[in-house]
């Protein structure tokens, strides 16, 4: 069903030269479009949505709101003659199937059109009858027959009107449009002490399309002087209420926000609005952002009236004057230059009918327009028109309504647009694809200026204003801010969670607003890092790899907030915009040494400490059925006896396999489960070296518990969901569960810090300051088919995987492939050092590992390690004064 | 000489005032949280969330304090305040978990303010264990 205005040729806009010379005043008081009437009005669909279930999420008090909406609905079934639309209730309830409601949107027009056709056919047959009879009946019966015919006509016409009336009311009062759910990123919080870099803030303002201002600070603008910022925020509706628009000033020193003032007040915290990152679209892909009449800038209304229907506030839905004027213009010019349809007729055509050019359709349109005007006031009709009109195309997605068009073309909410921008949008009504400002800027500019001239002619703008705004550029942003699924891997994860809690139809049609945990700064940093590493690997190993293998090396990664479990970035493919196979969630690959922390944590729980001596000599383990397993170290060397801390940080397989057998495979499986591995792992010795396939998401779940100090923190991608009225629908709470002793976790963390400081992850120092004391673990599967890294700071946890989809060996280890992606990602973020508080049951001790005795700092081979108090040996090793002197010299030379 | 005596007297009075604040202070039974992170904006959120809790607006209190958790995720105090909400909401298991999370984040040497918050976390655990 074609709805777009540009497809119709009966356009109503008169060329500038043809307009009446006499300036037309703005609509008279009482008729002038005003926001007062619409103040209490909501433009959005009125259906209440309830989540499928409440497990894992908190259903809000809005259920009560939904009930009250339901009550309203029952109280308001009969249409009232005047303006019921504002308070018109939602007729469907939360339990009603949205499928049916969404069908209404698409089938209403068809059904109404079909019905109309049927009725007019009947009329035709009725008309035929008297012609036959008139030839046979005597003239005396003719009068009576005509009377009867007239009565039949009245009955049929009455039926048509009643039917049309019912259609008009049912659709206008009910759910007018299917609105796809909108998905937002997290909102950036600004407060004194917040970790934030200048680049991060600047990028955030760019994503939100804040304009750099050099004069007045209007809403949605900012000013930067070095490290100091002034921001005029827009305001936004959050779960816990509205964040008003504010004037914010701050400076950033050493990656921290300083001297923040909000409207001149210190010690405040302020949220910028979240970035719109995508939507959940129905098959027909019609999208809109609804605006209420009071949100619309008056200049948009003036432009619309000037161009499309100057008599809008004077006619009854059909304008004879408008038709005459169009006729006159067309006759004069000898071509169809202007249409005579009013805005009401256009709305009726787009909303209820088809765009077929027949007299029947035109007549139905006129009748329905009159009926619509009888029931609803002008502002309601204008508001519906402004939300309905087709204004552009983005791939499969049709851009409807001025609310979305403002974001699509200018990246700004409608209320922030200036006259020249509003004029362009109004100009697009005539033909959104013909005047597309991105593809045909010259045409669009001419059309915009034509609209401005009409506004001048009709007295909506002054000559000076016209001169000034006509000289302005189009100001259209290159790429729409509102891209369809900008971060597909993350949105995939969000949708999976949403589909557990909501019906698919609700997501596609109920206009839900989903507030996620995505941090665009981290996401883009992760994407950049992948791109850099792929490029570098291609250069370094290109010939070696491509000579044997044609498929591209792939990668996936997930970053979370290490303490709250909120997922902040997901990449699922080498091409981050690719919407196909999401490796972050669905690629199950052998994890290699990433499983070792489970082995060592199990050992620590059983009384091992970082100084416990392990045997890294060759080992052979007997398996059932007479088989044997003889794991080898990556470097094919054996390293004899060494402290546990060294075995883990250097990722020695022989020592780990032997330790695993001592600890017990079932205990390791139990630890893995408590860490968050939900999959049932096989009880085999090789599990200790990671002979199990997990997805990057599952590995993240496991390391989340480690990074959070032994507290299992389920990963979350959604913070809350609002319904189409902006009311809270569901909140997803932070959840924690302690699964390990803090002392044991502190010891394990220390060993993983050692991995980054001196072990297999020491290359991180190329990108990251060692004083950050980061922790992590590399993982490399057999034949280097998989390169893994999982690491964390005080605020971020990141898991990265690289490999081929068909398991072809790579030239990479965990340290040379995945680790650089992780490290580079962190370099552009404000990273908090990993400074875990020492639990009460832990002490830092100098230990002589060979003697398993307490030692002193100056003793040779003494290591300084954290130990759970009940594992500290009582024995004290002496090393004498010579050791102290030697140690002093060693330290002196080390320095 | 008198001047110095006056200064000493004022100092003594001031210190005694401090000590009464330190030793009397607020206890968990006052029904106000002692949580305080040192980040003023976060503390304002804690105060707001705690007020909401005391008014019985537990859902909104929880949302406010989770916002504080996001701002200062390594601060034990926000978890203490959140554990109070869970306790009032009858979610005793969650109350214990958040209180334990708070305890895991306190440094071994704490200030007197942190000591009060730590005591409060322990109190929450005891109360929740009694009730569940």
């Amino acid at each position: 069903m074609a709805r777009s205005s540009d497809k119709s040729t009966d356009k109503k806009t008169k060329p500038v030269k043809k307009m009446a010379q006499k300036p037309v005043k703005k609509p008279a008081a009482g008729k002038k479009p005003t926001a007062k009437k619409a103040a209490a009005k909501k433009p959005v669909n009125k259906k209440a949505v309830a989540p499928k279930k409440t497990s894992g999420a908190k259903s809000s008090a809005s259920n009560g709101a939904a009930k009250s909406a339901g009550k309203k609905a029952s109280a308001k079934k009969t249409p009232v003659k005047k303006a019921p639309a504002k308070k018109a209730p939602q007729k469907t309830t939360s339990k009603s199937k949205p499928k049916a409601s969404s069908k209404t949107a698409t089938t209403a027009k068809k059904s109404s059109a079909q019905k109309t056709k049927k009725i007019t056919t009947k009329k035709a047959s009725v008309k035929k009858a008297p012609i036959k009879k008139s030839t046979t009946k005597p003239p005396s019966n003719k009068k009576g027959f005509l009377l009867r015919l007239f009565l039949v006509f009245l009955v049929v016409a009455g039926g048509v009107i009643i039917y049309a009336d019912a259609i008009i009311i049912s659709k206008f009062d009910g759910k007018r449009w299917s609105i796809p759910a909108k998905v937002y990123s997290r909102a950036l919080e600004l407060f004194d002490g917040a970790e934030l870099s200048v680049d991060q803030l600047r990028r955030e303002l760019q994503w939100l399309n804040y304009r750099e201002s050099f004069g007045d600070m209007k809403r949605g603008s900012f000013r930067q002087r070095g490290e100091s910022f002034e921001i005029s925020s827009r305001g936004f509706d959050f779960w816990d209420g509205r964040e008003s628009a504010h004037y914010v000033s701050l400076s950033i020193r050493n990656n921290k926000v300083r001297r923040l003032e909000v409207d001149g007040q210190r010690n405040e915290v302020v949220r910028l609005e979240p970035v719109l990152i995508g939507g959940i679209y129905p098959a027909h892909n019609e999208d809109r952002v609804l605006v209420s009449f009071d949100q619309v800038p008056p200049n948009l209304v003036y432009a619309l009236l000037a161009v499309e229907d100057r008599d809008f506030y004077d006619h009854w839905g059909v304008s004879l004057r408008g038709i005459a004027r169009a006729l006159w213009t067309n006759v004069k010019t000898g071509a169809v230059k202007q249409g005579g349809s009013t805005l009401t007729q256009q709305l009726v055509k787009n909303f209820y009918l088809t765009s077929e050019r027949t007299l029947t359709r035109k007549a139905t349109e006129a009748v329905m327009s009159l009926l619509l005007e009888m029931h609803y006031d002008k502002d309601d009709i204008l508001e519906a028109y402004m939300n309905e009109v087709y204004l552009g195309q983005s791939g499969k997605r049709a851009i409807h309504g001025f609310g979305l068009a403002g974001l699509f073309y200018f990246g700004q909410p409608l209320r922030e647009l200036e006259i020249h921008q509003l004029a362009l949008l109004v100009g697009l009504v005539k033909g959104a694809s013909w005047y597309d400002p991105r593809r045909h800027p010259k045409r669009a500019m001419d059309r915009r200026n034509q609209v401005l001239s009409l506004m001048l002619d009709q007295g909506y703008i002054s000559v000076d204003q016209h001169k000034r705004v006509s000289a302005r550029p189009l100001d259209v942003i290159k790429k729409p801010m509102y891209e369809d699924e900008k971060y597909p891997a993350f949105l995939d994860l969000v949708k999976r969670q949403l589909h557990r809690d909501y019906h698919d139809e609700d997501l596609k049609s109920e206009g839900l607003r989903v507030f996620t945990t995505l941090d665009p700064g981290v996401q883009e940093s992760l994407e950049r890092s992948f791109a850099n590493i792929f490029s570098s690997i291609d250069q370094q190993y290109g010939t070696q790899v491509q000579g044997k293998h044609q498929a591209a090396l792939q990668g996936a990664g997930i970053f979370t907030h290490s303490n709250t479990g909120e997922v902040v970035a997901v990449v699922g493919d080498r091409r981050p915009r690719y919407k196909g196979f999401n490796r972050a969630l669905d690629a199950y690959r052998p994890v290699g040494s990433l499983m070792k922390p489970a082995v060592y944590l199990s050992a620590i729980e059983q009384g091992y400490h970082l100084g416990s001596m392990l045997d890294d000599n060759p080992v052979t383990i007997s398996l059932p059925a007479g088989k044997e397993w003889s794991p080898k170290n990556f470097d094919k060397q054996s390293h004899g006896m060494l402290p546990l801390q060294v075995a883990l940080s250097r990722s020695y397989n022989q020592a780990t396999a032997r330790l695993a057998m001592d600890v017990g495979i079932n205990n390791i499986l139990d630890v893995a489960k408590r860490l968050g591995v939900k999959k049932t792992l096989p009880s085999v010795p090789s599990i200790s070296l990671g002979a199990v396939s997990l997805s990057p998401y599952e590995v993240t779940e496991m390391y989340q518990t480690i990074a959070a100090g032994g507290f299992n923190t389920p990963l979350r991608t959604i913070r809350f969901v609002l319904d189409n009225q902006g009311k809270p629908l569901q909140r997803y709470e932070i959840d924690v569960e302690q699964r390990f002793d803090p002392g044991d976790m502190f010891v394990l963390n220390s060993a993983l810090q050692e991995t980054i400081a001196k072990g297999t992850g020491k290359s991180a120092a190329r990108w990251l300051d060692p004083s950050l004391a980061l922790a992590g673990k590399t993982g490399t599967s057999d034949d280097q088919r998989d390169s893994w890294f999982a690491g964390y700071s005080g605020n971020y946890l990141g898991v990265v995987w690289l490999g081929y989809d068909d398991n072809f060996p790579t030239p990479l280890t965990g340290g040379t492939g995945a680790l650089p992606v992780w490290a580079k990602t962190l370099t552009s973020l404000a990273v908090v050092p990993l400074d875990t508080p020492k639990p009460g049951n832990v002490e830092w001790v100098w230990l002589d590992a060979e003697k398993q005795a307490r030692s002193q700092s100056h003793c040779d081979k003494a290591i300084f390690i954290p130990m759970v108090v009940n594992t500290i040996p009582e024995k004290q090793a002496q090393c004498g004064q010579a050791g102290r002197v030697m140690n002093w010299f060693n330290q002196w030379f080390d320095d | 000489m008198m001047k110095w005596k006056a200064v000493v007297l004022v100092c003594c009075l001031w210190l005694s005032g401090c000590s009464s604040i330190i030793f009397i202070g607020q206890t968990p039974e006052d029904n106000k949280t002692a949580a305080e992170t040192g980040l003023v904006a976060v503390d304002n959120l804690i105060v707001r969330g705690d007020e909401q809790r005391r008014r019985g607006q537990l859902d909104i209190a929880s949302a406010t304090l989770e916002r504080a958790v996001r701002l200062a995720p390594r601060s034990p105090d926000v978890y203490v305040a959140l554990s109070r909400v869970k306790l009032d909401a009858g979610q005793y298991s969650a109350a214990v978990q958040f209180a334990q999370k708070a305890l895991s984040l306190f440094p071994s040497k704490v200030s007197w303010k942190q000591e009060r918050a730590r005591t409060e976390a322990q109190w929450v655990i005891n109360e929740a264990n009694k009730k569940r």
Side-chain angles (χ1 to χ4, degrees), chain A residues 58-61 189-195 239-241 243 266-271 562-564 566 707-709 711 713 716 719-720 731-739 742 793-795 832-840, chain B residues 37-45 48 52 58-76 79 82 85-86 89 91 93-109 118 125:
Chain A
K58 187 141 182 93
S59 188
S60 83
E189 305 248 15
L190 299 171
F191 60 98
D192 275 330
E195 278 107 19
W239 159 274
D240 51 353
E243 180 84 45
R266 292 295 310 273
N267 300 327
E268 294 288 332
V269 56
V270 66
R271 282 175 285 198
S562 52
N563 287 282
T564 61
E566 292 191 333
F711 284 81
T713 315
R716 299 183 312 137
R719 288 182 181 171
F720 50 89
R731 190 164 66 83
Y732 294 81
E733 295 183 328
I734 294 175
D735 190 17
V736 296
E737 184 189 349
Q738 187 168 30
R739 294 194 176 169
S793 68
N795 51 347
V832 175
L834 183 59
D835 183 18
T836 311
K838 183 176 75 64
Chain B
T37 63
L39 289 166
V40 182
V42 179
D43 288 340
N44 288 344
L45 280 180
R48 193 195 304 172
Q52 289 161 342
L58 298 179
D59 200 37
I60 198 81
S62 190
T64 304
L65 291 170
E66 281 190 19
R67 190 178 166 200
V69 167
R70 287 187 201 102
L71 303 190
R74 295 184 72 77
S75 161
Y79 293 100
L82 197 51
V85 176
K86 302 295 174 191
Q91 297 171 19
S93 177
V96 169
Q97 291 299 332
F98 279 108
Q100 280 176 340
K101 176 81 181 175
L103 290 175
S104 76
L105 292 173
F106 281 112
S108 47
K109 287 181 183 173
R118 193 158 69 174
I125 292 171

Side-chain angles (χ1 to χ4, degrees), chain A residues 17 20 172 187 229 238 259 275 340 510 553-554 559 592 664 695 847:
Chain A
K17 288 176 187 172
F172 214 82
F229 285 83
F238 287 96
R259 296 203 317 272
V275 181
E510 293 306 323
L553 185 70
Q554 275 294 350
F559 268 67
S695 69
L847 186 86

Side-chain angles (χ1 to χ4, degrees), chain A residues 677-849:
Chain A
V677 178
K678 297 186 180 87
K679 184 179 282 180
T680 305
L681 303 178
S683 181
V684 294
S686 58
I687 196 80
S688 59
L689 301 185
V692 59
S693 294
L694 298 177
S695 69
Y697 185 83
E698 289 174 321
V699 172
T700 309
E701 285 182 315
M702 174 181 165
Y703 274 79
Q704 186 70 43
T705 308
I706 297 173
F711 284 81
N712 181 260
T713 315
L715 300 186
R716 299 183 312 137
T717 53
I718 303 173
R719 288 182 181 171
F720 50 89
V721 179
L722 300 186
D723 71 6
N724 57 17
Q725 306 281 309
K727 288 176 188 157
L729 198 62
Q730 198 166 17
R731 190 164 66 83
Y732 294 81
E733 295 183 328
I734 294 175
D735 190 17
V736 296
E737 184 189 349
Q738 187 168 30
R739 294 194 176 169
F740 295 93
D741 175 72
D744 294 341
M745 292 309 300
F746 187 85
V747 170
L748 178 70
N749 271 327
S750 175
L752 294 176
Q753 285 173 310
E754 185 76 3
T755 304
I756 299 285
K758 295 177 183 169
T760 53
K762 64 183 175 188
S763 62
R766 287 170 58 193
W767 299 280
L768 297 161
D769 186 345
S771 68
L772 291 170
L774 305 173
K777 185 74 196 79
T778 53
T780 311
S781 66
D782 287 349
D783 301 325
Q784 295 174 255
R785 295 172 198 276
D786 301 274
S787 164
W788 286 94
F789 187 77
Y792 50 95
S793 68
N795 51 347
Y796 293 114
L797 160 69
V799 172
V800 175
W801 166 85
L802 292 175
Y804 288 107
D805 283 345
D806 59 1
N807 282 320
F808 197 81
T810 73
L812 308 169
T813 63
T816 59
L819 183 145
V821 177
W822 172 83
K824 277 173 174 272
T825 304
L826 289 182
T827 52
S828 62
L829 307 176
V831 180
V832 175
L834 183 59
D835 183 18
T836 311
K838 183 176 75 64
N841 63 342
V842 171
E843 280 184 20
W844 283 91
V845 174
W846 282 102
L847 186 86
D848 184 326

Side-chain angles (χ1 to χ4, degrees), chain A residues 49 180-182 502 506-507 510-514 721-723 729:
Chain A
V49 179
K182 301 281 187 298
Y502 292 90
D506 283 341
L507 294 171
E510 293 306 323
L512 303 183
R513 278 180 266 172
V514 182
V721 179
L722 300 186
D723 71 6
L729 198 62

